[in-house]
């Protein structure tokens, strides 16, 4: 028997993700790709091109917009959708607020991050999505490290960690009852560094806020935040111009910047290789308690 | 750089989570904020040192009970290799979660507590590792610090283990005496056990050969999706998309579509804007064929010279994974690669008592029971014997009432 070495790790991760995306296409009637504007979902879009071109994507892109996004993210999103010629559906948290389904938080630490879950579940219901593809990775956080690649959610979007389906080999069981849906994570097995190395290899363009730039910032709870009216700033918040970049792009109210001189992708890869802070360490929403993510997932969060 | 996927198995409290924590910690793979959380946690070892097991026990219930319930995946890399670890639960009631983790592993680490030696769980896990066809096994005799690092203790356990390995049919067994807690023989060779002349665990993991089977004999491509843009300029474009599960395909290879038996020739292999000459095991590609034949999702493309079995009546090993017992009168679904069809468990041949390895006559398959069955499928399956080709020999059983995955099936041969 003639044996060769295994594929290079990026090729293997890529092939696994493409396989998962094609399983979604083959198994579901109304799938969607949740696009956040972050590097992970941008990577997913690239993988979808590899899985389905020259055909069209068998799903629309769905963006849950908190209304507090970085302007650079929205500009990137719109340009990308135009280039791809694919359909974009936007679910607005503002609409959920206007409809009285959620109440805007008050005070200095107010964030719309928690409110997105309601908008997400409403958007899923409105469009009857049976599968939502997301860019979550198992190395991000402890609860995520336990989640299946096809993760079944009940009618209320809830994840039940004690009753996960067995998931063997690369056979994914997407059978569900009406009302349930599946969250699918094609890049589960990628690390943050894998994503960056892939972005470099594939020469994928990213929103500019990932790279070092000058911006007005304030310090909140020991973290650097972009100065913005959405942060409910007051006179105690001292605005200072700093050279920073963002490691994740989420809602402006909960995404901290890091001081950085990484202007190019090579700089970023060096910075991450040497850095000793995990990516989610820059997310205030995970700091609340040891089980913050598990609790949010049980409630329908991505 | 390639990836090694491995699981850790062993009984509760044998030190699986500690061992993984130790590997991550000593290979400098834990980030500062995670470390800070580790230090500030109030779960500590008796001597006050940090409890490395917290790194993998990610669920609230797990932390509360101090046990591992579901598989946790952990990632780390050294200069030589990337690693994906599945930390699997030891409790018998979570065997299905262990099987989930084990199904994708190239290597298993089986832990044995040096004070206890080979116990029931060691037998069960070794049996499962053999059944799931994991090629390489590292037996870590752990907690050597609690038996004075004694060579005699180690040798006695090893003797028992080798007997067991022979019984369950494990071939490549590599023993290492370790202390996960103290770090002996994990990353570096320990001075506490100078009698041990072998490699440290990490060094072994970095260098063990786990290359995949790229031989043409096993060229198998399950079709997942047909790409048909149907635009003006791509009017006749028809690409068959899938991931090569084993073996390899080249342009000009003669291929057969199963189960239909249609034959054609590969004219092109594509991956977005690239056109590789060869599609190797593990690659996701799109292939084009010379002839316009009927192919759809669920079909299997194979090299015409080396065809798998095609049958509706198949003998197989079954691991039952649901709290509701197997019902031989019920019609289930079976999913094999991208193909789903209905099936019945036509006959149960025997059940294995996985603590004693005795075979028993019984058709009462309950949660975590394992045995031999004959399965009858509505559509024929094109399959290989699992022990020869895992990628085309594994299938799952889905209960049509609950949609839940209730069984893992390792196909063996056409039943007569
Ligand atoms: N003395 C000693 N204790 C250990 C060793 N490895 C693990 N332990 C302890 O054994 C207990 C169970 O370990 P844990 O990693 O949670 O076991 P698991 O259930 O297999 O994941 C913990 O109290 C560990 O500190 C070892 O090598 N030596
Ligand atoms: Mg454990």
């Amino acid at each position: 028997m003639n044996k060769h070495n295994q594929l290079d790790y990026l090729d293997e991760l890529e092939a696994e993700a493409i396989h998962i995306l094609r399983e979604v296409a083959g198994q579901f009637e109304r799938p969607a790709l949740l696009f956040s504007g972050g590097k992970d979902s941008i990577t997913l879009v690239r993988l979808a091109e590899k899985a389905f071109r020259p055909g069209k994507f068998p799903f629309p892109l769905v963006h849950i917009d908190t209304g507090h996004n970085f302007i650079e993210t929205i500009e990137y999103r719109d340009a990308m959708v135009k280039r791809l010629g694919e359909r974009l559906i936007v679910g607005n948290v503002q609409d959920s607020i206007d409809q009285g389904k959620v109440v805007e938080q008050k005070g200095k630490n107010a964030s719309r991050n928690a409110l997105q879950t309601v908008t997400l579940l409403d958007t899923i219901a409105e469009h009857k999505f049976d599968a939502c593809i997301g860019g979550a990775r198992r190395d991000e956080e402890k609860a995520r490290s336990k989640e299946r690649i096809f993760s079944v959610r009940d009618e209320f979007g809830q994840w039940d960690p004690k009753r996960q389906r067995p998931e063997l080999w690369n056979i994914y069981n997407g059978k569900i009852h009406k009302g349930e849906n599946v969250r699918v994570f094609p890049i589960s097995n990628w690390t943050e560094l894998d994503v960056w190395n892939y972005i470099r290899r594939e020469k994928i363009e990213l929103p500019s806020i990932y790279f070092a730039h000058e911006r007005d910032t304030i310090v909140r709870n020991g973290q650097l935040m972009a100065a913005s009216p959405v942060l409910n700033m007051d006179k105690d918040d001292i605005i200072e111009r700093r050279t920073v970049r963002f490691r994740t792009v989420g809602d402006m109210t909960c995404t901290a910047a890091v001081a950085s001189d990484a202007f190019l992708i090579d700089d970023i890869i060096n910075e991450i290789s040497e850095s000793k802070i995990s990516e989610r360490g820059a997310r205030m929403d995970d700091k609340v308690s040891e089980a913050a993510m598990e609790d949010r997932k049980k409630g329908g969060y991505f | 750089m390639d990836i090694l996927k491995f699981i850790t198995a062993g009984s509760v409290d044998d030190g699986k989570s500690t061992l993984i924590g130790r590997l991550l910690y000593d290979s400098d793979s834990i980030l500062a904020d995670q470390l800070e959380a580790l230090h500030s946690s109030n779960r500590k070892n008796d001597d006050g040192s940090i409890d490395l097991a917290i790194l993998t026990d990610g669920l609230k219930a797990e932390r509360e009970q101090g046990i591992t319930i579901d598989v946790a995946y952990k990632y780390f890399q050294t200069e030589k290799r990337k690693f994906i670890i599945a930390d699997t639960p030891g409790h018998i009631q979570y065997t299905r979660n262990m099987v989930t983790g084990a199904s994708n592993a190239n290597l298993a680490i089986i832990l044995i507590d040096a004070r206890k030696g080979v116990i029931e769980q060691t037998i069960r896990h070794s049996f499962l590792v053999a059944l799931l066809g994991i090629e390489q096994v590292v037996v870590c005799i752990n907690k050597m610090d609690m038996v004075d690092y004694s060579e005699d203790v180690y040798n006695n356990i090893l003797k028992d283990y080798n007997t067991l390995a022979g019984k369950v049919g494990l071939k490549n067994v590599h023993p290492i005496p370790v202390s996960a807690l103290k770090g002996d023989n994990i990353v570096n060779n320990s001075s506490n056990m100078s009698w041990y002349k072998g490699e440290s665990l990490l060094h072994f993991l970095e260098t063990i050969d786990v290359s995949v089977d790229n031989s043409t004999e096993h060229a198998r491509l399950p079709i997942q999706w047909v790409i048909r843009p149907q635009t003006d300029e791509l009017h006749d474009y028809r690409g068959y998309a899938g991931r090569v599960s084993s073996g390899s395909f080249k342009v000009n290879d003669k291929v057969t579509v199963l189960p239909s038996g249609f034959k054609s020739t590969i004219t092109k292999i594509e991956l977005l804007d690239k056109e590789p000459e060869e599609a190797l095991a593990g690659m996701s590609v799109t292939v084009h064929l010379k002839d316009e034949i009927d192919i759809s999702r669920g079909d299997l493309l194979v090299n015409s010279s080396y065809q798998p079995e095609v049958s509706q009546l198949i003998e197989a090993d079954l691991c039952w994974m649901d709290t509701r017992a197997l019902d031989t009168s019920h019609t289930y679904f079976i999913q094999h690669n991208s193909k789903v069809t209905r099936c019945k468990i036509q006959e149960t041949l025997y059940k294995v008592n996985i603590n004693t390895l005795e075979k028993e006559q019984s058709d009462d398959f309950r949660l975590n029971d394992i045995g031999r069955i004959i399965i009858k499928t509505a559509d024929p399956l094109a399959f290989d014997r699992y022990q020869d080709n895992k990628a085309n020999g594994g299938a799952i059983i889905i209960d049509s009432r609950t949609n839940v995955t209730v069984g893992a099936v390792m196909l063996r041969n056409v039943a007569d």
Side-chain angles (χ1 to χ4, degrees):
Chain A
M1 198 159 44
N2 137 37
K3 288 197 169 194
H4 295 253
N5 278 334
Q6 270 180 285
L7 300 180
D8 177 66
Y9 76 97
L10 280 182
D11 290 326
E12 183 172 346
L13 292 172
E14 176 191 68
E16 177 182 65
I18 293 171
H19 173 256
I20 294 163
L21 287 169
R22 286 170 171 167
E23 280 307 289
V24 174
Q27 292 195 39
F28 296 93
E29 313 227 310
R30 300 180 65 86
L33 189 152
L34 295 192
F35 181 81
S36 71
K39 65 177 192 316
D40 298 319
S41 56
I42 291 168
T43 298
L44 282 182
V45 167
R46 175 70 178 177
L47 292 163
E49 289 183 87
K50 295 220 180 191
F52 303 112
R53 290 291 185 245
K56 284 227 161 238
F57 292 178
F59 39 68
L61 307 180
V62 172
H63 183 217
I64 303 302
D65 187 348
T66 61
H68 291 170
N69 276 295
F70 291 92
I71 176 80
E72 293 89 340
T73 309
I74 301 300
E75 283 171 5
Y76 178 95
R77 176 195 77 188
D78 293 340
M80 185 197 76
V81 166
K82 209 166 145 205
R83 171 181 71 79
L84 290 171
E86 299 287 348
R87 196 154 72 98
L88 173 73
I89 293 170
V90 180
N92 287 301
V93 172
Q94 187 63 51
D95 291 346
S96 304
I97 295 171
D98 294 345
Q99 291 159 11
K101 289 188 165 160
V102 293
V103 179
E104 181 107 60
Q105 296 176 353
K106 299 223 166 52
K108 265 201 155 185
N109 291 322
S111 167
R112 287 183 169 184
N113 196 50
L115 310 185
Q116 328 179 42
T117 300
V118 172
T119 313
L120 171 65
L121 295 180
D122 283 351
T123 309
I124 290 172
E126 183 190 338
H127 296 272
K128 301 193 173 62
F129 293 132
D130 50 7
C132 295
I133 303 159
R137 306 186 322 267
R138 286 172 175 158
D139 84 321
E140 277 179 76
E141 201 277 334
K142 279 200 275 194
R144 288 210 195 282
S145 81
K146 295 263 166 181
E147 197 163 7
R148 302 281 188 260
I149 289 175
F150 270 38
S151 180
V152 181
R153 303 299 176 94
D154 68 12
E155 227 175 309
F156 307 98
Q158 298 182 96
W159 178 55
D160 184 351
K162 280 204 209 166
R163 294 191 46 204
Q164 298 201 87
R165 291 178 179 176
E167 190 169 79
L168 287 108
W169 303 292
N170 53 11
I171 303 177
Y172 304 103
N173 171 8
K175 285 202 183 298
I176 48 170
H177 292 293
K178 217 171 149 55
E180 292 175 335
N181 71 84
V182 179
R183 308 282 169 90
V184 179
F185 305 111
I187 59 168
S188 285
N189 287 326
W190 299 41
T191 64
E192 184 186 18
L193 201 53
D194 296 336
V195 173
W196 281 106
N197 279 318
Y198 188 71
I199 287 168
R200 173 164 67 181
R201 185 182 93 169
E202 298 289 313
K203 302 188 173 62
I204 300 170
E205 202 189 313
L206 289 182
S208 55
I209 58 173
Y210 275 111
F211 301 93
H213 57 283
E214 270 195 25
R215 105 164 29 228
D216 288 343
T217 57
I218 60 171
V219 177
R220 270 277 171 90
N221 304 322
Q223 299 204 290
L224 280 179
M225 307 296 288
S228 155
V230 306
L231 258 68
N232 298 334
M233 297 191 295
D234 59 28
K235 60 179 182 343
D236 295 335
D237 291 308
I238 301 151
I239 297 181
E240 224 181 289
R241 200 137 181 97
R242 293 184 173 91
T243 305
V244 297
R245 66 177 204 88
F246 294 86
R247 282 179 74 174
T248 65
V249 303
D251 190 83
M252 286 183 82
T253 55
C254 66
T255 308
V258 288
S260 169
D261 294 319
F263 293 98
L264 303 169
I265 190 151
D266 288 343
D267 304 333
I268 291 178
I269 288 173
N270 285 338
E271 190 183 283
I272 295 169
S273 311
E274 282 153 29
S275 151
K276 290 282 159 192
I277 298 282
S278 76
E279 177 182 18
R280 283 218 158 246
R283 295 282 292 246
M284 321 240 295
D285 42 328
D286 284 342
K287 293 232 152 164
V288 187
S289 82
E290 213 177 359
M293 174 66 87
E294 182 177 343
D295 291 341
R296 272 182 293 141
K297 269 182 165 314
K298 284 178 180 163
Y301 185 79
F302 221 74
Chain B
M1 188 151 57
D2 65 2
I3 304 179
L4 177 75
K5 297 181 186 165
F6 68 91
I7 61 161
T8 48
S11 178
V12 190
D13 282 350
D14 281 352
K16 295 180 296 297
S17 301
T18 308
L19 180 85
I20 291 175
R22 174 58 64 189
L23 276 173
L24 298 175
Y25 193 84
D26 284 359
S27 64
D28 226 5
S29 309
I30 302 172
L31 300 165
D33 54 327
Q34 294 165 343
L35 212 53
E36 183 195 320
L38 207 60
H39 282 290
S40 63
S41 165
N42 44 25
R43 208 173 117 186
K44 287 269 158 58
N45 291 321
D46 299 339
D47 63 0
S49 57
I50 53 171
D51 182 357
L52 293 168
I54 303 177
L55 285 168
T56 53
D57 290 341
L59 299 175
K60 253 199 242 178
E62 293 179 322
R63 286 192 297 273
E64 280 160 17
Q65 300 171 39
I67 58 163
T68 307
I69 294 173
D70 210 333
V71 195
Y73 295 92
K74 288 281 152 196
Y75 303 81
F76 77 105
Q77 79 184 79
T78 64
E79 272 161 29
K80 301 220 177 66
R81 206 169 231 174
K82 287 182 73 80
F83 299 94
I84 301 182
I85 317 173
D87 180 23
T88 63
H91 281 84
I92 187 152
Q93 76 256 42
Y94 305 122
T95 298
R96 61 176 172 188
N97 295 334
M98 179 199 158
V99 170
T100 287
S103 68
N104 282 314
N106 327 102
L107 180 148
I109 296 180
I110 295 182
L111 273 94
I112 296 177
D113 186 328
R115 296 168 306 172
K116 299 182 191 153
V118 172
I119 56 169
E120 232 172 63
Q121 266 97 334
T122 322
I123 302 175
R124 184 154 42 85
H125 290 154
S126 302
F127 174 73
L128 286 170
V129 163
L131 186 76
L132 285 160
I134 300 178
E135 308 86 31
Q136 302 288 343
V137 176
V138 180
V139 182
C140 280
I141 320 271
N142 188 33
K143 307 200 184 181
M144 288 300 292
D145 56 301
M146 297 182 96
V147 294
D148 295 326
Y149 298 107
S150 154
E151 185 177 7
D152 286 345
V153 171
Y154 171 76
N155 282 335
N156 282 333
I157 295 175
L158 207 56
K159 217 165 63 208
D160 290 348
Y161 194 83
N162 285 336
T163 310
L164 171 62
K167 255 204 241 171
V168 298
L170 286 174
K171 281 181 225 86
N172 305 307
V173 175
H174 317 273
I176 306 179
V178 302
S179 166
L181 191 71
K182 311 278 179 196
D184 297 288
N185 288 337
I186 303 293
V187 170
N188 297 307
N189 277 65
S190 163
S191 54
N192 291 322
M193 289 176 274
S194 44
W195 47 265
Y196 171 70
K197 303 293 178 218
E199 296 165 90
S200 72
L201 175 63
L202 184 64
H203 187 260
F204 181 83
L205 295 175
E206 283 182 326
T207 49
I208 180 78
D209 176 28
V210 287
S211 51
V212 293
D213 177 5
N214 274 321
S215 55
T216 33
E217 287 103 287
H218 284 147
R220 309 279 182 257
L221 176 66
I223 304 302
Q224 297 179 269
W225 185 248
V226 182
I227 299 177
R228 293 216 61 190
Q230 290 177 306
T231 54
D232 287 343
E233 73 266 36
L234 292 168
H235 190 73
D236 295 323
Y237 185 102
R238 196 191 279 259
Y240 304 103
R243 186 176 190 196
V244 180
S245 60
S246 62
S248 68
F249 292 90
K250 289 193 190 66
V251 174
N252 292 327
D253 275 359
K254 302 241 179 304
V255 291
T256 301
V257 183
L258 295 171
S260 68
F262 291 131
K263 290 189 183 337
S264 189
T265 304
I266 294 180
T267 53
K268 187 160 74 168
I269 299 170
E270 277 185 305
L271 178 56
L272 197 59
D273 39 19
K274 286 196 223 111
E275 290 186 16
E277 272 297 302
E278 190 173 15
L280 299 174
M283 282 170 68
S284 281
V285 292
T286 303
V287 299
H288 294 253
L289 301 180
K290 196 180 219 162
D291 311 276
E292 249 187 55
I293 49 181
D294 179 21
I295 305 181
S296 53
R297 177 178 165 80
D299 287 340
L300 182 72
L301 203 71
V302 305
N303 186 304
S304 295
S305 309
Y306 307 97
Q307 303 212 9
E309 302 280 6
V310 180
S311 176
Q312 284 171 269
L313 205 58
I314 306 166
E315 194 174 311
D317 290 314
L318 169 71
C319 174
W320 194 254
M321 304 192 288
D322 199 40
T323 45
R324 191 192 306 209
L326 165 68
D327 176 356
T328 46
S329 68
H330 184 66
T331 301
Y332 295 92
F333 290 112
I334 183 166
Q335 187 171 348
H336 173 243
N337 290 320
S338 55
K339 181 170 190 87
V340 180
T341 180
R342 287 176 193 278
C343 74
K344 271 192 170 168
I345 312 303
Q346 165 150 320
E347 202 182 330
T348 57
L349 301 175
Y350 61 79
K351 229 167 77 170
V352 179
N353 178 329
I354 51 176
N355 294 323
T356 61
L357 304 179
E358 310 271 312
K359 289 174 188 165
E360 301 165 357
Q361 206 64 44
S362 165
D363 51 10
D364 186 31
F365 275 66
R366 292 172 185 273
L367 181 64
N368 301 319
D369 280 349
I370 291 171
R372 184 74 51 84
I373 53 155
I374 292 175
I375 196 160
K376 184 175 190 180
T377 60
D379 294 337
L381 298 185
F383 70 97
D384 289 287
R385 186 186 175 88
Y386 182 83
Q387 294 293 339
D388 300 337
N389 184 359
K390 268 160 91 169
N392 197 40
I396 59 170
I397 307 280
I398 300 166
D399 193 327
S400 50
R401 295 161 293 197
T402 57
N403 289 329
V404 168
T405 305
V406 292
V409 174
M410 281 64 62
L411 303 168
R412 292 181 60 87
N413 49 273
V414 176
D416 35 41

